Amino acid sequence: MRSVAFATCSALPDGWHDDHLAGRLLGAVHHAWDDPTVDWSVFDRVVIRSAWDYTPRVDEFLAWSAAVGADRLRNTPELVAFNADKRYLADLSVPTVPTVFVGPSDPAPELDGEVVVKPNISAGARDTGRFGPPAHGQAHELIAAIHATGRVALVQPYMSAVERRGETALVFLAGELSHVLRKRAILAPDEVAPLADGPHASAAAMLREDLVTPGLADPAERALANRVIEEISGRFGTPLYARVDLVTDSRGSPLLLELEAIEPELYLATSPGASQRMAAAVRAS
C-alpha cells in the first residue's frame, strides 16, 4: 500500500490522539474531510477517524463519502450511510434495546417509566437525555427540540443494569475481536447530557478519564457482537473497524445499544497491540 489518509475534522488537524500510533505505523497523513483542496484520489486508503463534526452536516458528509468511493474509503460509503442514522436498529435481526422512532409528524409518544431520548443522527451523546416519570415533560421538550431540527427522536427504556455494570463495548478490526471495554454510565437522571467545550462538542461525561477501562465480555456478549459483525459484513463487506456497544436487560441478556462504524473513539490505547492491529487491518483492507 502506497499512501493512507486519516480523515479528521478541521478542529483536529493532527487527528485524535488515540489514532496517532496507528497513523505513524502507516505513515498516514491527516486531512479534514471537508477540506476542498484535498485530492482524495491520490490515496490508496482513506480511513474515517476523527470526523467529530459530521453529524450536523450529515448530508454533506455522506456525499463526500460517496465521492471518495468504495474502493478507497474505509469504512465503505454504503456502511457509513447505513450507520449514520440510528434507525438502523430497526433494520438488524439481532436483539436490540427496544426503541420507538418518533418522526416530526408523529403524535407525541406515551412515555412509561424511565426513558432515554436521543436523535437518529447524533454522536457523542449530543442531544441525549434520561428522564424519570416526574420529568416526562422534559422528555417531550427534547423530542420537540429534535423534531425542530428535522430529525427523528428515538425513545428507549433506560436500561438500569448500566448503573451496576456499565456498557460492554467490543472493538472489531478486520472482522476479528481486538479488545473489550467497560464503559461507565454517562446519563444523569432528569437532564439532557451537558456538552463539553471544544471541537468535538460531545457530552462532557464522554470525556471523563475514567469513562472506559479494559474489560471482558461473557460468552453471550461475544456471541451477540459476533452476530452483529456477521450481519453487517454480509451486507456491506467486512468492516475495517466497528465497535459494538451492548447493555443487558433485567434478566442479564445482552442487547445491542449501538453499532459504531464511523465512531472516532476506538480506545486503541487501552489494549496492548491494538494500534498495531489497526495498522495491519488498514494495510490488508
Side-chain angles (χ1 to χ4, degrees):
M1 182 174 294
R2 295 184 302 279
S3 57
V4 176
F6 278 7
T8 183
C9 58
S10 58
L12 293 168
D14 297 321
W16 190 238
H17 59 84
D18 195 54
D19 295 322
H20 286 171
L21 176 54
R24 289 196 299 272
L25 292 169
L26 290 163
V29 297
H30 291 85
H31 289 301
W33 68 268
D34 58 349
D35 184 342
T37 69
V38 177
D39 180 3
W40 299 100
S41 69
V42 304
F43 299 103
D44 297 294
R45 288 290 177 268
V46 176
V47 183
I48 299 172
R49 289 309 314 124
S50 41
W52 291 96
D53 61 350
Y54 83 88
T55 55
R57 306 157 59 194
V58 67
D59 290 339
E60 184 182 346
F61 181 72
L62 295 182
W64 168 81
S65 301
V68 175
D71 290 342
R72 186 168 287 109
L73 190 70
R74 298 293 181 271
N75 286 318
T76 63
E78 294 80 7
L79 177 53
V80 169
F82 174 79
N83 194 230
D85 189 325
K86 291 180 179 28
R87 284 177 288 185
Y88 66 75
L89 288 169
D91 200 27
L92 293 171
S93 66
V94 301
T96 65
V97 173
T99 305
V100 175
F101 302 93
V102 186
S105 62
D106 293 333
E110 298 265 344
L111 303 180
D112 182 29
E114 193 168 25
V115 299
V116 171
V117 175
K118 64 179 74 170
N120 66 313
I121 298 173
S122 179
R126 299 179 199 130
D127 302 320
T128 298
R130 167 188 168 191
F131 309 97
H136 281 177
Q138 292 172 253
H140 282 293
E141 290 174 3
L142 178 55
I143 292 169
I146 291 169
H147 288 168
T149 66
R151 292 176 292 176
V152 172
L154 279 65
V155 180
Q156 301 172 321
Y158 183 69
M159 310 304 290
S160 60
V162 76
E163 299 291 337
R164 301 189 304 276
R165 66 191 310 272
E167 300 174 22
T168 304
L170 297 91
V171 178
F172 289 77
L173 301 175
E176 300 294 330
L177 182 62
S178 169
H179 51 287
V180 179
L181 311 164
R182 184 68 59 193
K183 296 175 61 184
R184 295 169 61 99
I186 63 168
L187 298 178
D190 301 336
E191 69 171 20
V192 179
L195 297 183
D197 296 328
H200 28 65
S202 64
M206 297 288 289
L207 302 179
R208 290 175 51 174
E209 291 188 1
D210 63 348
L211 174 68
V212 169
T213 55
L216 299 172
D218 65 30
E221 291 170 326
R222 285 176 176 255
L224 177 54
N226 282 323
R227 284 181 59 189
V228 174
I229 297 301
E230 289 169 3
E231 183 166 348
I232 64 168
S233 296
R235 296 176 62 171
F236 304 106
T238 302
L240 170 65
Y241 62 86
R243 201 184 79 209
V244 181
D245 292 347
L246 307 178
V247 292
T248 56
D249 63 17
S250 59
R251 298 170 298 177
S253 299
L255 300 171
L256 176 65
L257 178 62
E258 291 195 5
L259 165 69
E260 303 286 7
I262 310 171
E263 172 64 49
E265 190 66 273
L266 298 177
Y267 302 100
L268 299 174
T270 67
S271 175
S275 293
Q276 288 82 356
R277 290 190 290 274
M278 177 67 168
V282 173
R283 293 191 189 101
S285 67

